[in-house]
Amino acid sequence: MVAETNNLGYTDIHEDVVRSIVKTGPKYYIALATAGGTTLLCFFFPWFYQLYYGIGAAGMNHPGVWGTYLASFIFWIGLSHSGTLLSCVLHLTNSSWRKAMYRSAEAMTLFSLVVAATYVMVHVGRPWFIHWALPYPNQMELWPNFRSPLMFDVMAITTYITGSTIFIYMGSIPDFAAVRDRTSGWRNTMYTLLSLGWRGTDKEWHRLHWAYTFLAVLIIPLAVSVHSIVSWDFAMSIVPALHQTIFAPYFVVGAIYSGTAGIVTVMFVLRKYMGFERYITKLHFDNLGKLLLVLSLLWTYINAVELFTSWYSGTSEEYEAVGFKLFGFYAPLYWEMILFCAVAPLLMFSTRFRTSFMPMLILSIVINIGMYTERFLIIATSLPRQYLPDAWGVYVPSAVEVSIMVGSFALFTTLFLVFVKIFPSVSMYEVKETMATPKLGSVAPASGSPA
Amino acid sequence: MPNIDRRDFLKLVGAGGVSVGAGFMLREANKDATEYLIPHVVAPEDFSSGLATWYNSVCSMCPAGCGISVRTREGLAKKIEGNPAHPVNQGGLCSLGQAGLQVLYNPDRLTGPLKQTSARGSGSFEQITWDEGLDQLGSRLDLLRAARRGNRVAMLTQGVRGHLAQLFDNFMRQLGSQRLLHYDFNHPHTLYAANQRFFGQDRLPYYDLHNTRMLLSFGADYLTNWISPVHHSLGFGESRQGSSNERGRFIQIEPRMSASGAAADEWLAAKPGTEGILALALANHIVSEGNYAGADRADWAVALTDYTPAKAAEQTGIPQSTITRLADSFIDIQPSLAIGGGAAANHSNGVDTLMAVNVLNYLAGNIGQEGGLLLNPEPTSVVSQQQQASYSTLLEFAEAARQGEIDVLILNGSNPVFTLPQASEFREALASIPLVVSLSSFLDETTAMADLILPSHTYLESWGDDFPEPGMGFPVGAVSQPVVSPLYNTRATGDIILALARQMNVGTALPWENMEECIKDGWRQIYERGDAQTLAQGFDSFWTSVLRAGVWGETAAGDSEFTLDRSVISNIGVQAPEFSGSEEDFPFILHPYLSPNFYDGRGANLPWMQERPDPMTSVVYGSWVEMNPSTAKELDLIEGDLVDIQSLHGTVRAPVYLYPAIMPNVVAMPIGQGHQEFGRYAKDRGVNPIEILSPEIEPITGQLASSATRVNIVPTGRRSKLVKTSGTSRDLGREIVQFADVNGVELSSAGSNSIPITEVTA
Amino acid sequence: MSLFSRFMDGWRKYRKPGYYDEFDYHWTMAIDLDKCTGCQACMTACQAENNIPIVGEEELARGREIQWIRVERYWEGEYPNAKLSFIPIMCQHCDSAPCETVCPVSATYHNQDGLNTQIYNRCIGTRSCAVYCPYEVRYFNYYDHHWDSPLEQQLNPDVTVRGKGVMEKCTFCIQRIREAKDHAKDDGRRRVQDGEVQPACVQTCPSKALVFGDRKDSENEVSVAINDPRKYRVLDELNTDSSVFYLKKVDA
């Protein structure tokens, strides 16, 4: 069913993938150095400056006490969504086209979560006491506040990170074993450890599949709940325009939406620069495009509903919030968001558009810019204009915030670049599953087909 | 690696130990005294760690004379509160009074005597000793006195009362000088003059806001800066929702809504300077309606013929129906009270305006009535009244200086370079005086022009006393005692004067060792005039009880009789105000008002006051010019646009603030900012509208008619961010402030639900 | 008692502010808007009492003011019928405080006196309490603030100077309440008497618009005030059950 992979042999897959791990060209090093350097310069340096100086280095004020840090946090959590969630859903629905790209997607999840968790540290005023938010027995006999939506959030995200890590790791074990058998030296040692003594017996395959499916089932509600809980950070408050029941589905849809767009971006990069043209094909883009389109329509619908509810309430608070969003200081950003997230994706009704790589890349980036804007607007248009008009203000991000935002992308890229050198970034055994059974004599010791 | 044997090892260890020990001791020796847990080996009196000690004293931040209690801990002043026993403020205290601590602990205080080393105003000073400083000034004074040229010495002080004022008087008399000038920008000369003419008293009456049911205020911002704001606030609260069942009604007439205007039930804007005409129109209506039944009714009818409500409506811009309604309710609601001040009193017709206000009180029978205006008896203790110098007196003084008639000028706290218009050329006049000495605690604009600075203590470090004016219907005195030991090498003003007296060998007339003795001696006389009960306790016990209570008052008050001199009636009349500048060239009337935060600018060096949002606009750290939104629309201006405010006598530049309650042809600016000196918090911040005032005077008193300047507004095309704490000052129908009628029944708010999304605020 | 009803019982208690069945005191403030003149003496008194930092012009321009009590102003109408009303807003010490539920580390909680307290040491600076507070009375320390020497000598030794990264707000001058309780204990009394404790803002108010006391004593001034027909609470519709009552401005 995957047309273009049919002319591949198992060996080709192994060689391609192992090559991507073992053979490292100067381009990679340049990319890594650039990403790492940018991370250091744009993320860690401003952050340390902020730690030394105080959160005042960012643009937050009274009453706009939350800002881009939290917007970025939601953005990264959102981006994290599609990876694992998509992978799980597609795994359960047996969509075989997922197989070429799900490993990267899951990695994206993991690293997005890591970046998001880092953002929590960047966001709080005293990150050196962040462990107080974790429930652990301590000599102060103090527990966190379990009534707090933020506490739910801490729980949800730690669970999600744990689940995603296990999921991606478990799915990689056969591939680690495959790489183990083709490498030597320290790599061999490392992959020996990572593959947990995988031998590829039927029993092992059986257990892997069972556990994998079990986790997939488990992670879907988890992913949905994580973003619902993130939305509760806002929706459980009584801030006008945030205190809405639609927030949980809104955030979940938004998360999957931006995450899916993110996968398109990453797939394009993998395909183009990591030499995976043969595995990531038009078909993937076409299918993801359809998914994106549906999500875009859903997102638009929820936005419209949100506006309607606010308008229908007729209270000054909601009225002002909507008015400020649509026509206020940040109105240009709002309309940009509508253009990027609701209008532009309509192009994907065209099959030609969906199957063209470059337009899809641009669209996926545009969608994520729009989605970042959405997260920013949620915070920047509601918090500074709450109940008491005399206390109103405007929140404008500072250079430090912008820098840290840029740096967070570099951090993500750095983590991803490290990842592709350790993890087989395309799931070898699952790609093989999609192929015709090879002729005898093919070298595939670590990947007995699970017939 | 050399071989180290046991001996070497021990030597090294020994040497290391010693040097470490020495280092430790060196560090200990260099430690700041504050690093020790309890810095005092022998604690001073009243010092107990962890326990607060309270001292009663007197606030000197404005001339109201409120009593304060200062909380001290470990010898440091921590908090100022109103003294509940003091009849003026009864425990309350205003913002500026609270900030007095920052006068004491201001980082820009002068820490010791200084001498100007190069040209005046260059700001280069060198430190000298007190002996040097006192010697330089004292010998000069002694020479002049000996040569009988004492009148070539002048002293310009901020308004001072009590025994310090007496000391100044005495000192200048010994010198043979008549040039003792008390000067406060906000001194109500016109009010004194009007009351003098009407009541024949040279002191202010007591305005009984507590019990009044109807207050008609002609421009007097009684809650912010008129005479005794804290006392008036107390009265306002009491009248509004106090023990009486009837709620007091407050009506404010002024071209720009002040804090008192906001607190009032009704705010009316009469054309600037026509408030007196309005008052007389009210009087006319009262008399013509037969609501006045006095014997001199006919005289009044004649005197007021020209001031019919119909005519006044035309002149003042207030509808005739409103005038008659006000006049009727002024009679119907009793007790009523009319007061006048602020901009209304600062026009060329200021005295006449205030006379007209007194007429209203007279016709409504408010004089001597509870809830009206109570005449104060002659003070029996210390003569609290000082002769304040008016603007024209200062001009005369400046002229004398220019003529070379002044050799020495001693400045005490007064800052005329800041509080006089540029047109007075006072700064230039200072240049003609050979020796200018300042006793100020801060390097203000005038002190910066001094040759010699002998910095005095702040009021929290020195002895003093105060007799509030106006009295409370009975004599009140309060002793101000040092609450902390002096921070710096400064001296109390009184001590400096006494030291100079000793240097001039006039010590016999001023026999006191220091100010404390002088005060104590003065109070001994008050004690000796006391009744038998007072005398029975002995002076020491009396003195201790005064210090402890912080205030002393005679409960028995003599009544002050009043009969109106008939000649006053025929002289009643208010002319139209005169303005400087033509209406064509200068279409706007400038309304300068005292900032609620800085008083006349003396609070501008206090960071708390700089950060205190202006009550009406919420602007902090700057100046602005208020104009009506319709005016701004005409000129195509929005908030934050920089404009030039041009008068005949200068230009200042300030950002625009759209003020909903100001007449369209009036622009208002707060006084207080725009210092060129005065420490880091005040310097180069905002502009000073006094600079561009025309030297127009009120002819009877010689007071500066500060509201008589016309200006032009010229947009500059530039913008500046107006720093304010307020977002949107409209409640958008959210009913944050809710209203009820007098019976407490809820009234729905009339707030509009329009969306102010175009408003960009931070 | 069945397991279920025990659970429900515990749950109800958990949902209650501060888990108290009854407060020891119920500190309450009443503000008569008909008396308030907007003079802002309360703000300066509060700043002096509670070591509130001077943030500077630049920070104020960025909206980083710290004012535990602030006077809000609301205009109504246009010239010549413009009207201005003032309303002092400070922490309302809500008995169902949104800020208390959201703090992940319980740095803000309800104490046995019905006060909404902020524990600076425990605060990690998520600022979520400030988001959840509809009255916007929580202020964040964006920096370590500093006092130009010797202004720091004025600092009240009974009140912490807050460092960077910490949220702060009105405490109803808890240090004064503490002191009054100590005095009462020293005098062998069980309870603090009415009038014995006054927050700095109440103490200084020139027009005596602010009244403070224990609501549990039904005779005192504050109890009389909060039973006035004019009483209301700001944003009462949000069910925060606040401890600051306002008396409506009279429009006559």
Side-chain angles (χ1 to χ4, degrees):
Chain A
M1 76 178 278
V2 182
E4 286 179 48
T5 52
N6 274 347
N7 50 15
L8 280 170
Y10 286 1
T11 324
D12 299 325
I13 299 173
H14 279 159
E15 277 172 0
D16 278 353
V17 172
V18 174
R19 194 185 55 234
S20 78
I21 291 175
V22 180
K23 291 260 165 62
T24 309
K27 265 190 195 162
Y28 174 82
Y29 283 117
I30 292 169
L32 186 66
T34 316
T38 316
T39 310
L40 215 59
L41 203 70
C42 293
F43 190 83
F44 286 103
F45 177 68
W47 184 22
F48 290 152
Y49 170 75
Q50 178 183 292
L51 283 176
Y52 169 77
Y53 205 52
I55 292 288
M60 271 79 84
N61 60 12
H62 181 270
V65 288
W66 282 351
T68 57
Y69 294 152
L70 216 57
S72 302
F73 166 77
I74 313 167
F75 175 78
W76 285 109
I77 295 271
L79 210 55
S80 81
H81 257 43
S82 298
T84 305
L85 183 67
L86 205 67
S87 169
C88 293
V89 172
L90 297 180
H91 174 74
L92 294 176
T93 53
N94 249 333
S95 316
S96 54
W97 59 269
R98 114 190 212 277
K99 290 176 182 175
M101 54 75 176
Y102 85 88
R103 180 73 42 77
S104 337
E106 285 169 19
M108 228 172 98
T109 297
L110 194 57
F111 298 137
S112 303
L113 282 173
V114 169
V115 175
T118 320
Y119 254 114
V120 174
M121 310 274 278
V122 178
H123 168 77
V124 301
R126 305 206 297 173
W128 46 95
F129 291 130
I130 194 84
H131 55 282
W132 287 348
L134 298 173
Y136 64 98
N138 56 79
Q139 82 283 8
M140 296 187 286
E141 300 196 355
L142 283 172
W143 291 93
N145 179 7
F146 294 105
R147 294 186 297 178
S148 161
L150 271 76
M151 195 58 228
F152 307 167
D153 219 4
V154 171
M155 305 284 201
I157 288 164
T158 36
T159 315
Y160 195 35
I161 288 189
T162 317
S164 300
T165 315
I166 295 173
F167 194 61
I168 188 172
Y169 180 66
M170 214 161 61
S172 308
I173 289 175
D175 287 347
F176 282 143
V179 181
R180 173 192 65 192
D181 297 341
R182 275 164 188 75
T183 51
S184 57
W186 64 269
R187 278 205 180 84
N188 185 272
T189 317
M190 185 176 79
Y191 288 111
T192 307
L193 288 172
L194 285 174
S195 58
L196 297 175
W198 176 271
R199 283 171 297 142
T201 62
D202 278 359
K203 213 169 177 186
E204 279 173 346
W205 278 115
H206 179 73
R207 289 217 172 110
L208 178 74
H209 269 263
W210 187 85
Y212 198 71
T213 311
F214 175 76
L215 264 180
V217 174
L218 201 70
I219 279 179
I220 293 171
L222 183 64
V224 171
S225 75
V226 165
H227 229 82
S228 302
I229 287 171
V230 169
S231 85
W232 290 347
D233 287 351
F234 300 94
M236 293 297 178
S237 75
I238 42 178
V239 177
L242 295 187
H243 189 44
Q244 301 210 0
T245 46
I246 204 165
F247 253 51
Y250 181 23
F251 269 49
V252 173
V253 166
I256 301 172
Y257 186 27
S258 76
T260 311
I263 288 176
V264 171
T265 314
V266 171
M267 276 186 7
F268 181 89
V269 174
L270 283 179
R271 186 178 181 282
K272 181 104 192 205
Y273 299 103
M274 303 296 291
F276 289 143
E277 285 96 342
R278 287 188 285 181
Y279 308 96
I280 302 169
T281 63
K282 276 190 177 165
L283 178 77
H284 295 117
F285 279 80
D286 187 30
N287 284 335
L288 281 176
K290 286 177 190 158
L291 184 61
L292 267 182
L293 185 59
V294 171
L295 287 166
S296 148
L297 294 173
L298 251 177
W299 183 90
T300 313
Y301 166 72
I302 291 178
N303 257 285
V305 168
E306 193 202 359
L307 289 185
F308 176 77
T309 327
S310 287
W311 171 78
Y312 186 77
S313 80
T315 64
S316 166
E317 289 83 358
E318 293 284 340
Y319 230 69
E320 290 297 326
V322 171
F324 186 61
K325 210 176 203 173
L326 264 53
F327 313 109
F329 184 68
Y330 280 121
L333 281 184
Y334 180 82
W335 296 111
E336 170 248 71
M337 171 187 90
I338 293 293
L339 180 70
F340 285 6
C341 294
V343 180
L346 297 179
L347 286 170
M348 286 185 298
F349 271 114
S350 139
T351 315
R352 236 184 83 205
F353 188 90
R354 287 200 306 272
T355 48
S356 332
F357 295 117
M358 192 46 91
M360 280 298 279
L361 171 75
I362 293 169
L363 184 68
S364 71
I365 290 172
V366 155
I367 288 176
N368 261 324
I369 293 174
M371 286 310 289
Y372 188 90
T373 316
E374 183 221 54
R375 274 61 179 260
F376 175 75
L377 288 180
I378 283 176
I379 292 167
T381 62
S382 58
L383 299 191
R385 296 171 83 90
Q386 293 195 36
Y387 291 94
L388 304 178
D390 192 84
W392 282 2
V394 162
Y395 154 74
V396 182
S398 75
V400 169
E401 283 177 270
V402 174
S403 166
I404 286 186
M405 194 185 90
V406 171
S408 71
F409 284 97
L411 176 64
F412 178 79
T413 315
T414 313
L415 290 171
F416 211 93
L417 284 172
V418 173
F419 160 82
V420 295
K421 286 292 151 192
I422 293 173
F423 275 67
S425 43
V426 167
S427 171
M428 291 183 269
Y429 75 91
E430 294 205 61
V431 171
K432 280 183 256 170
E433 284 172 15
T434 65
M435 293 160 52
T437 317
K439 292 167 200 119
L440 285 171
S442 281
V443 194
S447 51
S449 180
Chain B
M1 184 81 186
N3 282 332
I4 297 178
D5 61 13
R6 187 178 53 89
R7 281 163 178 258
D8 287 340
F9 177 71
L10 286 178
K11 275 186 215 158
L12 280 170
V13 167
V18 167
S19 40
V20 167
F24 176 74
M25 281 159 75
L26 204 68
R27 205 171 67 91
E28 283 297 297
N30 282 330
K31 256 191 183 174
D32 198 315
T34 53
E35 280 189 60
Y36 293 100
L37 199 56
I38 297 175
H40 302 265
V41 178
V42 180
E45 204 185 343
D46 298 345
F47 181 115
S48 44
S49 283
L51 280 183
T53 316
W54 294 79
Y55 293 99
N56 285 328
S57 191
V58 180
C59 181
S60 300
M61 300 302 286
C62 87
C66 296
I68 54 174
S69 294
V70 185
R71 176 175 182 258
T72 66
R73 273 279 300 266
E74 284 85 37
L76 299 171
K78 296 298 175 189
K79 179 87 191 346
I80 300 180
E81 296 192 347
N83 179 358
H86 201 289
V88 170
N89 55 326
Q90 297 168 33
L93 199 60
C94 73
S95 218
L96 197 58
Q98 289 280 352
L101 290 169
Q102 294 202 322
V103 172
L104 174 65
Y105 292 122
N106 199 294
D108 297 315
R109 269 186 66 182
L110 297 168
T111 56
L114 296 172
K115 192 178 166 179
Q116 181 95 256
T117 50
S118 62
R120 270 193 198 161
S122 63
S124 51
F125 290 97
E126 68 170 15
Q127 294 204 334
I128 54 170
T129 64
W130 272 101
D131 285 344
E132 282 172 308
L134 287 173
D135 198 52
Q136 194 187 341
L137 175 59
S139 56
R140 189 78 167 260
L141 296 181
D142 195 27
L143 273 174
L144 287 167
R145 190 185 69 91
R148 301 201 170 278
R149 297 167 69 116
N151 208 26
R152 298 181 67 83
V153 180
M155 185 161 178
L156 183 56
T157 172
Q158 63 178 350
V160 168
R161 290 187 293 239
H163 287 97
L164 187 61
Q166 277 190 345
L167 189 69
F168 283 170
D169 262 350
N170 213 334
F171 176 73
M172 294 303 277
R173 215 174 16 250
Q174 295 303 320
L175 257 174
S177 168
Q178 265 98 61
R179 293 197 159 111
L180 171 60
L181 307 169
H182 290 259
Y183 174 69
D184 280 325
F185 179 78
N186 190 34
H187 187 77
H189 293 279
T190 44
L191 189 61
Y192 274 92
N195 287 346
Q196 215 285 328
R197 286 164 172 242
F198 204 91
F199 305 116
Q201 285 192 350
D202 213 7
R203 51 185 180 275
L204 295 181
Y206 175 69
Y207 296 98
D208 189 5
L209 264 66
H210 285 68
N211 297 308
T212 193
R213 297 293 121 214
M214 164 85 179
L215 181 85
L216 209 50
S217 165
F218 293 87
D221 189 2
Y222 54 94
L223 294 175
T224 310
N225 53 43
W226 189 70
I227 304 181
S228 192
V230 175
H231 188 73
H232 296 150
S233 300
L234 207 59
F236 171 81
E238 175 65 26
S239 173
R240 268 283 163 89
Q241 297 289 340
S243 41
S244 166
N245 289 326
E246 200 188 336
R247 175 178 176 273
R249 204 176 147 70
F250 291 77
I251 292 162
Q252 186 83 4
I253 298 143
E254 57 193 355
R256 174 243 175 214
M257 185 188 276
S258 64
S260 309
D265 297 294
E266 196 175 349
W267 172 78
L268 297 166
K271 284 181 189 162
T274 63
E275 288 88 348
I277 297 171
L278 179 67
L280 290 183
L282 261 64
N284 176 301
H285 186 74
I286 290 169
V287 173
S288 62
E289 288 292 296
N291 284 328
Y292 175 66
D296 46 4
R297 189 176 172 274
D299 295 352
W300 283 113
V302 174
L304 297 170
T305 24
D306 281 351
Y307 300 93
T308 59
K311 224 165 137 187
E314 208 172 287
Q315 283 168 294
T316 62
I318 290 183
Q320 190 181 342
S321 58
T322 310
I323 296 175
T324 52
R325 174 170 57 84
L326 286 183
D328 289 340
S329 47
F330 196 68
I331 295 296
D332 292 345
I333 306 172
Q334 285 292 331
S336 60
L337 174 64
I339 57 174
N346 291 340
H347 280 287
S348 58
N349 58 6
V351 173
D352 293 339
T353 300
L354 297 175
M355 287 286 276
V357 171
N358 283 339
V359 168
L360 273 180
N361 282 324
Y362 179 81
L363 295 178
N366 300 334
I367 297 161
Q369 291 299 312
E370 190 177 79
L373 173 158
L374 304 169
L375 295 177
N376 271 310
E378 185 84 36
T380 50
S381 39
V382 169
V383 183
S384 58
Q385 173 62 27
Q386 2 92 3
Q387 208 58 55
Q388 277 262 357
S390 66
Y391 178 67
S392 22
T393 316
L394 283 186
L395 284 186
E396 279 162 30
F397 166 75
E399 186 52 36
R402 266 190 288 272
Q403 301 298 324
E405 288 171 27
I406 312 290
D407 279 351
V408 181
L409 171 65
I410 303 172
L411 290 156
N412 174 45
S414 191
N415 188 6
V417 172
F418 181 80
T419 53
L420 289 179
Q422 255 173 7
S424 70
E425 295 180 342
F426 193 85
R427 189 196 290 264
E428 292 72 18
L430 278 182
S432 323
I433 302 173
L435 180 64
V436 178
V437 184
S438 174
L439 309 184
S440 173
S441 311
F442 294 96
L443 194 72
D444 56 36
E445 284 81 355
T446 318
T447 302
M449 305 296 291
D451 304 291
L452 191 62
I453 305 176
L454 305 174
S456 56
H457 289 340
T458 61
Y459 69 103
L460 294 173
E461 297 161 306
S462 41
W463 285 95
D465 54 3
D466 194 20
F467 300 84
E469 159 76 12
M472 301 285 108
F474 51 88
V476 176
V479 175
S480 159
Q481 56 179 323
V483 299
V484 291
S485 42
L487 259 63
Y488 302 115
N489 186 19
T490 54
R491 292 195 182 179
T493 317
D495 291 350
I496 298 171
I497 297 296
L498 288 171
L500 287 172
R502 278 194 294 276
Q503 204 136 27
M504 285 158 37
N505 304 313
V506 293
T508 42
L510 302 155
W512 305 284
E513 185 63 33
N514 53 36
M515 198 58 197
E516 183 183 356
E517 269 183 32
C518 170
I519 300 276
K520 217 167 161 179
D521 215 36
W523 279 79
R524 194 184 296 275
Q525 287 167 34
I526 293 172
Y527 158 76
E528 279 160 5
R529 280 199 300 271
D531 54 20
Q533 205 192 336
T534 312
L535 287 168
Q537 58 180 320
F539 176 70
D540 285 342
S541 150
F542 168 77
W543 177 239
T544 316
S545 66
V546 169
L547 280 188
R548 192 167 288 163
V551 65
W552 159 92
E554 279 174 13
T555 42
D559 256 358
S560 188
E561 283 299 310
F562 164 68
T563 41
L564 184 67
D565 188 346
R566 290 243 167 165
S567 66
V568 169
I569 304 178
S570 51
N571 285 327
I572 290 292
V574 179
Q575 299 299 312
E578 284 162 27
F579 292 96
S580 133
S582 67
E583 202 172 339
E584 290 75 47
D585 297 339
F586 301 97
F588 300 98
I589 295 168
L590 179 65
H591 175 93
Y593 62 94
L594 292 191
S595 153
N597 287 345
F598 310 125
Y599 198 63
D600 57 4
R602 65 180 72 171
N605 63 341
L606 314 175
W608 284 346
M609 300 318 293
Q610 286 284 359
E611 295 215 340
R612 192 66 46 247
D614 174 71
M616 316 299 283
T617 62
S618 91
V619 180
V620 286
Y621 279 112
S623 288
W624 64 95
V625 55
E626 291 165 12
M627 60 174 71
N628 193 299
S630 66
T631 313
K633 206 171 173 186
E634 251 168 58
L635 294 172
D636 199 19
L637 293 168
I638 58 165
E639 184 181 299
D641 280 344
L642 273 176
V643 293
D644 278 340
I645 301 106
Q646 298 176 336
S647 81
L648 268 175
H649 299 272
T651 303
V652 289
R653 182 171 291 187
V656 169
Y657 181 89
L658 305 190
Y659 197 78
I662 185 169
M663 294 183 81
N665 63 338
V666 176
V667 293
M669 285 186 83
I671 291 168
Q673 297 276 31
H675 285 275
Q676 284 141 19
E677 298 284 345
F678 211 30
R680 67 193 76 172
Y681 303 108
K683 197 174 172 178
D684 300 329
R685 211 182 273 293
V687 291
N688 180 10
I690 300 177
E691 275 179 22
I692 61 163
L693 293 184
S694 297
E696 200 78 17
I697 58 165
E698 195 286 320
I700 298 167
T701 56
Q703 178 181 318
L704 178 70
S706 56
S707 304
T709 306
R710 283 191 162 278
V711 292
N712 190 17
I713 301 288
V714 184
T716 61
R718 280 195 266 166
R719 286 181 60 75
S720 100
K721 190 170 165 62
L722 203 55
V723 184
K724 49 177 208 162
T725 60
S726 197
T728 297
S729 297
R730 296 271 173 177
D731 94 337
L732 311 167
R734 297 185 185 186
E735 306 202 338
I736 292 150
V737 178
Q738 295 187 8
F739 296 90
D741 68 9
V742 275
N743 301 317
V745 180
E746 181 171 353
L747 297 170
S748 65
S749 153
S752 71
N753 209 355
S754 63
I755 305 179
I757 34 194
T758 45
E759 252 183 271
V760 178
T761 51
Chain C
M1 199 185 271
S2 75
L3 197 67
F4 179 73
S5 62
R6 249 216 321 269
F7 173 80
M8 286 313 287
D9 204 45
W11 177 249
R12 267 191 290 276
K13 204 168 175 193
Y14 188 64
R15 294 276 294 172
K16 255 193 164 172
Y19 329 141
Y20 302 103
D21 288 328
E22 202 188 350
F23 296 131
D24 293 350
Y25 293 88
H26 203 168
W27 300 115
T28 302
M29 195 181 285
I31 300 173
D32 192 338
L33 297 181
D34 206 27
K35 283 183 175 182
C36 176
T37 66
C39 72
Q40 304 184 341
C42 46
M43 292 174 69
T44 313
C46 179
Q47 187 157 22
E49 173 73 16
N50 291 305
N51 300 341
I52 294 171
I54 300 146
V55 300
E57 183 179 11
E58 214 174 291
E59 289 303 293
L60 273 162
R62 299 168 86 170
R64 302 241 180 95
E65 71 270 18
I66 298 186
Q67 299 162 343
W68 286 12
I69 179 171
R70 62 171 187 267
V71 176
E72 296 203 343
R73 53 198 67 67
Y74 290 105
W75 286 98
E76 235 183 89
E78 298 300 336
Y79 178 85
N81 298 315
K83 256 188 152 173
L84 180 58
S85 307
F86 298 106
I87 179 167
I89 303 263
M90 78 292 280
C91 173
Q92 310 278 310
H93 293 272
C94 312
D95 288 340
S96 307
C99 58
E100 285 170 16
T101 52
V102 74
C103 180
V105 292
S106 292
T108 181
Y109 79 109
H110 226 65
N111 80 356
Q112 73 284 357
D113 285 3
L115 296 180
N116 175 282
T117 54
Q118 176 77 17
I119 309 160
Y120 308 125
N121 282 345
R122 179 72 174 168
C123 178
I124 60 171
T126 67
R127 308 189 286 289
S128 39
C129 51
V131 172
Y132 276 47
C133 174
Y135 304 96
E136 319 259 24
V137 289
R138 293 179 153 267
Y139 293 88
F140 189 68
N141 283 279
Y142 286 98
Y143 299 95
D144 271 331
H145 294 281
H146 110 116
W147 282 259
D148 289 335
S149 183
L151 282 176
E152 81 286 348
Q153 294 194 19
Q154 178 275 326
L155 294 178
N156 186 354
D158 295 336
V159 178
T160 322
V161 173
R162 284 77 57 184
K164 69 182 175 201
V166 169
M167 192 61 75
E168 62 180 70
K169 64 159 194 84
C170 160
T171 61
F172 268 177
C173 284
I174 196 166
Q175 68 279 8
R176 293 184 177 209
I177 296 174
R178 184 74 257 166
E179 202 182 338
K181 282 185 178 173
D182 286 350
H183 277 303
K185 203 173 146 208
D186 290 348
D187 295 355
R189 280 180 284 134
R190 217 171 58 76
R191 290 185 72 78
V192 174
Q193 285 162 356
D194 189 43
E196 218 176 327
V197 45
Q198 274 190 328
C201 53
V202 176
Q203 194 285 325
T204 206
C205 181
S207 59
K208 305 275 173 257
L210 279 62
V211 181
F212 182 79
D214 177 13
R215 208 193 308 179
K216 289 184 84 177
D217 173 1
S218 57
E219 302 290 298
N220 63 16
E221 212 183 339
V222 78
S223 297
V224 172
I226 66 173
N227 285 315
D228 191 288
R230 289 190 291 131
K231 67 131 199 292
Y232 79 103
R233 292 190 279 193
V234 171
L235 305 180
D236 207 17
E237 67 273 20
L238 298 175
N239 287 326
T240 50
D241 198 5
S242 65
S243 296
V244 178
F245 289 76
Y246 293 85
L247 301 186
K248 287 172 192 164
K249 197 171 171 176
V250 174
D251 199 2

